[in-house]
């Protein structure tokens, strides 16, 4: 009779330990993949992230936005010419050098607008280079292996069924929360890239305003915004690097402490990634 009871207890204990092991695998072993995926995604340029979307955005920029920018720059150059003439007392105090400066300014303005998309892409090429350099310094591997999980599970074999039920519920809950945060992180990464595509698609318009003192602040602030989006990628990589170091130092001997530490670290990662965009803009004073 007692033998049967022991067999039943052993069966339920093994079943609960398997559930806990699966939950731990979902939390810990997937961390390496998630961390490396984030590091890879932030290092991609707009053209490398999705070539079809990139071609679509480039087509919009060249065929729809560029003609509008041409109208804006034409109006600005006409205003500049009128102001130049009026400032010279209606051509009575003509200085040839002033018109030479106007022609040079006009050429630079037209060149900037016609190559605005290339300049915008150059910002993210630079950002990719910085992220690539940083990736060689920052440890972006959480370094969690199956042996760590086996060590955590080994300590549970002597626990009672009641405690194993509690631990399985804890690990299941934490796993669900971490998976939810993982979805949020994916949304942040995709949202950043979509923001980059939208931002660069209209680059010709703010570039067309840079030749005028009154309107030039639009173009300057736009360029700050471009650089802040590039800088955000580096900040995301730094967040991931900090997260990987914290996870690597988890105390696997205490399963209760380790899973809730992991939950806390993942929450911090999600919050810091959400704030990375505003941090980058505040650093570059972009509005």
């Amino acid at each position: 009779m007692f033998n049967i009871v022991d067999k039943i207890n052993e069966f339920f204990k093994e079943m609960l330990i398997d559930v806990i092991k699966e939950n731990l695998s979902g939390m810990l072993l997937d961390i390496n993949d998630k961390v490396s995926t984030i590091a890879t995604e932030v290092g991609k340029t707009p053209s490398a992230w999705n070539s079809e979307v990139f071609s679509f955005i480039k087509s919009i920029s060249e065929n729809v936005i560029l003609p509008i920018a041409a109208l804006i720059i034409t109006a600005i150059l006409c205003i500049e010419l009128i102001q130049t003439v009026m400032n010279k007392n209606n051509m009575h105090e003509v200085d040839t050098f002033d018109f030479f400066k106007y022609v040079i300014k006009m050429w630079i303005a037209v060149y900037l607008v016609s190559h605005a998309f290339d300049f915008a892409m150059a910002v993210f090429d630079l950002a990719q280079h910085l992220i690539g350099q940083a990736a060689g310094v920052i440890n972006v591997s959480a370094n969690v292996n199956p042996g760590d999980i086996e060590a955590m599970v080994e300590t549970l074999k002597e626990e009672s069924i009641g405690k194993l039920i509690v631990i399985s519920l804890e690990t299941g809950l934490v796993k669900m929360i971490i998976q939810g945060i993982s979805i949020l992180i994916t949304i942040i990464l995709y949202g950043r890239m979509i923001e980059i595509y939208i931002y660069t698609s209209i680059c010709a318009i703010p570039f067309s305003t840079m030749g005028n003192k009154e309107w030039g602040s639009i173009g300057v602030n736009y360029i700050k915004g471009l650089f802040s989006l590039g800088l955000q990628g580096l900040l995301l990589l730094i967040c991931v690097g900090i997260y990987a170091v914290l996870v690597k130092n988890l105390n696997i001997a205490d399963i209760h402490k380790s899973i809730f530490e992991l939950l806390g670290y993942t929450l911090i990662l999600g919050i810091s990634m959400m704030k990375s965009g505003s941090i980058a803009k505040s650093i570059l004073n972009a509005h």
Side-chain angles (χ1 to χ4, degrees), residues 51-274:
S51 58
E52 292 185 7
V53 175
F54 177 78
S55 299
F56 167 71
I57 292 301
K58 186 176 182 180
S59 177
I60 291 292
S61 177
E62 293 176 350
N63 299 319
V64 178
I65 303 300
L66 192 58
I68 298 174
L71 292 175
I72 294 174
I73 197 172
T74 300
I76 289 176
L77 290 173
C78 289
I79 293 172
E80 288 282 326
L81 181 60
I82 293 171
Q83 289 177 344
T84 300
V85 172
M86 293 181 64
N87 289 338
K88 293 303 176 181
N89 194 17
N90 293 328
M91 301 289 290
H92 289 95
E93 299 175 4
V94 177
D95 188 349
T96 307
F97 185 69
D98 288 330
F99 287 99
F100 177 75
K101 288 192 298 183
Y102 174 80
V103 172
I104 296 296
K105 183 178 181 180
M106 179 178 63
W107 181 84
I108 293 174
V110 172
Y111 183 84
L112 283 174
V113 172
S114 59
H115 293 80
F117 193 81
D118 296 330
F119 287 131
M121 290 302 106
V123 171
F124 298 104
D125 289 337
L126 175 62
Q128 183 193 33
H129 175 73
L130 291 175
I131 292 171
Q133 293 292 321
V137 178
I138 299 172
N139 177 20
V140 292
S141 174
N143 198 26
V144 179
N145 55 66
D148 295 332
I149 295 177
E150 292 293 341
M152 296 176 75
V153 173
E154 192 67 27
T155 62
L156 301 176
K157 292 183 177 180
E158 302 301 324
E159 301 292 346
S160 64
I161 291 180
K163 191 168 183 180
L164 290 175
I165 292 174
V166 172
I167 294 175
S168 63
L169 292 174
E170 288 178 351
T171 53
L173 177 62
V174 172
K175 178 185 176 182
M176 289 177 58
I177 295 174
I178 290 178
Q179 288 176 341
I181 297 173
S182 299
I183 294 173
L184 175 63
I185 290 172
T186 302
I187 292 173
I188 293 171
L189 294 174
Y190 278 65
R192 172 178 174 265
M193 290 307 303
I194 292 173
E195 185 178 0
I196 289 173
Y197 285 132
I198 295 172
Y199 214 75
T200 54
S201 66
I202 59 164
C203 58
I205 291 178
F207 269 82
S208 67
T209 65
M210 295 184 65
N212 185 270
K213 290 182 179 179
E214 288 77 15
W215 291 28
S217 59
I218 297 175
V220 172
N221 189 66
Y222 175 82
I223 292 175
K224 289 180 181 179
L226 275 179
F227 276 96
S228 68
L229 284 171
L231 180 60
Q232 184 185 6
L234 179 60
L235 297 181
L236 290 173
L237 187 64
I238 292 173
C239 292
V240 170
I242 295 172
Y243 176 74
V245 173
L246 293 173
V247 170
K248 184 173 64 176
N249 294 326
L250 281 174
N251 179 18
I252 62 173
D254 188 343
I255 189 170
H256 294 284
K257 183 179 179 182
S258 60
I259 62 174
F260 284 106
E261 280 183 351
L262 177 63
L263 176 60
Y265 296 154
T266 310
L267 284 171
I268 293 171
L269 175 64
I271 294 171
S272 59
M273 290 183 71
M274 289 178 63

Side-chain angles (χ1 to χ4, degrees), residues 23-66:
N23 290 338
L24 292 173
S25 298
M27 287 188 291
L28 297 174
L29 290 184
D30 291 344
I31 288 175
N32 286 331
D33 294 335
K34 180 174 65 177
V35 167
S36 60
T37 299
I38 295 172
T40 302
E41 288 294 319
V42 297
K44 289 182 179 179
T45 60
S47 58
W49 193 75
N50 191 306
S51 58
E52 292 185 7
V53 175
F54 177 78
S55 299
F56 167 71
I57 292 301
K58 186 176 182 180
S59 177
I60 291 292
S61 177
E62 293 176 350
N63 299 319
V64 178
I65 303 300
L66 192 58

